[in-house]
Every structure is written in structure tokens, then in C-alpha cells.
Amino acid sequence: MIKLGLCILPLVGGVCGCSDLLDKSPNSSISDGNFWNNEKDAYLALVGCYTFQSGWTNDDFATACGLLYLDFCGGNGTEKENFTSMMAGTNSIATNSNSGRYWNNAYWMIAKQNNFLKNVINCPMDSEQTRAQYMAESKCLRAYFLFYLAFHYKDVPMPLTTLTREEANSISQTPQQDVYDQVESDLLESIDVLPDSYDASSYGRFTKNAARVLLSRVYLAQNRWGEAASVLRAVMDSGLYELDRRNGDDSYEKLFWIGGEYSPETIFCVMGLEDKFTTARYQYQYPECAYGGWHQFAVYNELVKEYFCTDGKGIETSEVYDDNDPYMNRDLRLYASVFLPPLGNYPGTKFNDLTYDCFNGPNTADSYNRYPLFNGYCPKKGCDPSITENIGSTPTYTPLMRYAEVLLSYLEALNESAPGDVTQSVLDETINDIRDRVNLPGYSKAELASQEAVREAVRKERRVELAFEGFRYFDVLRWGIAEEVLNHTFTGVKLSDNPNDRNYRGSGATASPVDEDMYYQFETRSWAAHNRYFPIPQGDMNINKNLKQNDGY
């Protein structure tokens, strides 16, 4: 929270004499004192405001791994070193390094925006409209991180200007509602100023509709359903976005590959830059059989079961589902999102010329029980088959807002605020449009005749459509179902008692434990009411005696 310099390209000065050089700051050095001279400087500083965490920095509300971790906190999977289970459960403690880094990285980003806002106000500019727009963009970036801090930590420090070291080490917490109110105010102000879109040279900056989407999340977090529906309707009525269908049946899968940042569905994302701003997520994510991947993550079978069958029904009621052949006749999004092993008639997920297989025997690559928190599944969503080298440094973009979220959030908000307004037309333009992209039949109004039926359909669709994009923990917390869904023994792939089957679980005391349906039981998690909020990091508590710890820690 100490004042930070701007992340911008160094400027190179002209030639000068040695004696002059000794009396001056290095020509490559930038400080607030020798910057902020014109609109060009302000633009360079604004570019720095958009510098997100990259590389091996993973615990952040806007990085690919950071969003994946949050999804796993919400019950979509786990991490083999126990990071996510330790973040969100009864074993969570104030010295947890992962949740601590979300806090630190958020304040790093907030400090950059505060420094920009402090200086740009007095910077000579050719246009006051441009100044207002730049400030709005920076306020939106600040709002993003302030919102997630308040949502996940409750009462948090809310610096709105640069701080001295002494101020940073003594600042008090602002009540959560006051943070929400500040974020709402900044976003409403920004919506009035920001443009609908940018030309190609400025693509990726905060737009009017990106601010609206963020505002909708603020409203959803507070159950302000009518206001959420209104702001999301404005995004839909703008006519600027549509679900990406450019690649036929492969459209959903390819949306998350390199190039997806330019999709007609993308509203706001963190864009990569080859050899400079990259992500290490895919080093963690790729299975061991693929190009040196670490297979750091395991997808819970509880999520796999949630994907629909080709007749549009869940596995509990579908006539085309066979529990002995669980991966056949399933939702295209399952095949796009999870590496599945060969079982029954399913041949195993193909990735280039590789076949994923967790049943090659003990201690082989990707073996379902190779590590205590392996389970036979591996997340696939976002794995681009063009990336076969240097997978620890890929320029793959990170989607933060896309149109499918808008459609599902709108339907949810409308159903909660005015359930009588959920007509067949509304279903068709929201959830049925999403299902149509992956060849699933839509819902009729008769099938979703009640508010509860719509609510259940939206929640299930959000889980599979938005999987691994950072929404699951947000959703289970705001819906108040975390205690119900996270106190559970989670499962993996299906095993067999037949010694002749490749998925044989063994016998006697060394047999892999299974549930009643023969799915591998591998991780028991517990979650208590006080886990609704992450602990305030102990390191900050030690320095700043004005901070108060959340209950239960």
C-alpha cells in the first residue's frame, strides 16, 4: 500500500556531457517529479494502470490461475499441494500465503490507480473529456479490486489516494457496505463517461459495458436484483456482443484459446504479450503426458456430473446416460473443459497426437492416485493445442467478462426481482441461446414454470458454462450454499472391483476407496460459517494494529 511507481516503458534521454550527467537523475529514470508534462505522458501512465500480474504470480483476482483457484475454493476441484482447500475451509488460517497474496496483489493494483488519479488531475491535457475518460478507466480498475477485497475479506482498508508508509501502516478498515457504495459510485460515474468501444489500437480498455458488468456483480453480491437486471439489460440492448459461434461445434472450446480475446463475446479480458506478459497457468494445468505439464489441478467428479447429456437433461433423468459409460453422449462443454480418461466406449481425451489416460498403472503419468490429491481428471479448458513448448510462459489471454455471463446473470436477476417477466422470449435470448451453441435443446416455459425451477436451471447452467473462470466461489457464497456443498467427500474417476478392468481399484486394505457408485473418494473438505470471509493476513495485522481480524480466525 506504499506509493508505487508507474509501470511504463523507460524513456531514453539525449546525449549530454559527463559533468551534466553527474548532476542529474539517470535518463532512464521516471518519477512523478519529472513526468506528467502532457497528454502523451498521461496516456503512457494509463497504459501502466492496465499492467496486471503476469508470469508466475498466480494468487490474484485477475490472473488465470487465481481465478481457477477461486473456482476450486467453491467446489469445482482442488490443487495437489492443497492450496485451495486450505484457503476455503475450517483449516484456513491468517498466515495462509495464498489468500494473503490475493490481498497484497489487490492493493498493489489499487496503489497504481491512486497514484494515477492523484497526478493526472493536474497534468496538462489537450482535452478535458480525455482526462475524464482516463480517470474513469482507472477508477474502474480500482473498483474491480476493491469490490473483490470487500466481497472476500469483508471490512477492508479503502485508500482512495496515495499513502505514506506511516499512513499505510495505520489505516483502518472501511465497512464492507461503504466499500460497495464507493465502488458503485465510481462505476456509475464512469459509465456516463466511458465510450462504447475503442478502435483496434486501444482494444482491451475499460468500456461502458465492462463497467456495467462489474456493477452488476456488485448488485448481485447484495441481492439488489432489480438494479442488476436493469444494468445487464443495458449491456444486452447495446447490440455490441453475441455468443461466439464462429467455429461451429468447436466454438466454445476455441473461445478460450489464443485469439479468443477478439471474440464478439469478449467484454473485458487481460491480454497476453508473447515473451513479456504471459501466464504460467498452463505449466500447472497441462497433464503430465502433455509437453512437461505438472497436472497441478484435479477436477471434482461432482462438477463432471453436472454437465448435461446430449438430450439436454441431467444425468439423473437423461435416457441417453449410462453410468457404466459416463462420458458418452455428454455436453460439448465437458469435452472442452476436462481431460477425461478412456472408460467404457469413450476413448480418452485427444490432445494433438496424445491420449489422456489415468489408468496406466501406479506412479505412471497422470495416474488417478499418483498423488494424494490426484483423482484422474485434469482441467482442459483454455489449453491451446498450438502451445507445445514453453508452456510456463504463454500469451494466452484471461477472460474476465464475457457475454454468456451477462445472459445468465440477467436471467437470474430478473427471475429474483420479477419472476412473472421471465417469458419464453427471455428464456430464448438468455439460457436457451447458451445451450443452443453447444447443441443442447432449450427450455420451454412449461419446463421452467416456477421461480424455483428457473433458479435451479440458472445455477446449474452457470456452473458448467462458467467453469474455471473464477465464478464458482462467488456464486456459492452469495447464494449462501457453501456450508451445504463444501462439507463433502469429493470424488474422482469411476473405478472397478474387477481385476481384469483397467480401472481396477485394488483389493483389501490398499484398495482405493469409492462411494456407492464406485467413484474414487479422495478428499474430504469441511467448511464453517466463519469461512464466509478470508482471514485478514497476519503479516498486515502484525504491522498495523488498527486492523481487526475476521471472526473465527
Side-chain angles (χ1 to χ4, degrees), residues 306-325:
E306 285 294 293
Y307 286 90
F308 299 93
C309 297
T310 51
D311 59 3
K313 299 178 180 179
I315 64 173
E316 304 84 4
T317 58
S318 174
E319 296 180 0
V320 300
Y321 178 74
D322 179 355
D323 195 48
N324 292 315
D325 206 358

Side-chain angles (χ1 to χ4, degrees), residues 76-102:
N76 277 353
T78 193
E79 194 272 348
K80 73 180 181 185
E81 294 182 47
N82 210 27
F83 288 171
T84 52
S85 302
M86 294 296 290
M87 282 174 62
T90 54
N91 292 325
S92 299
I93 56 177
T95 55
N96 180 273
S97 58
N98 299 95
S99 60
R101 284 191 289 267
Y102 279 91

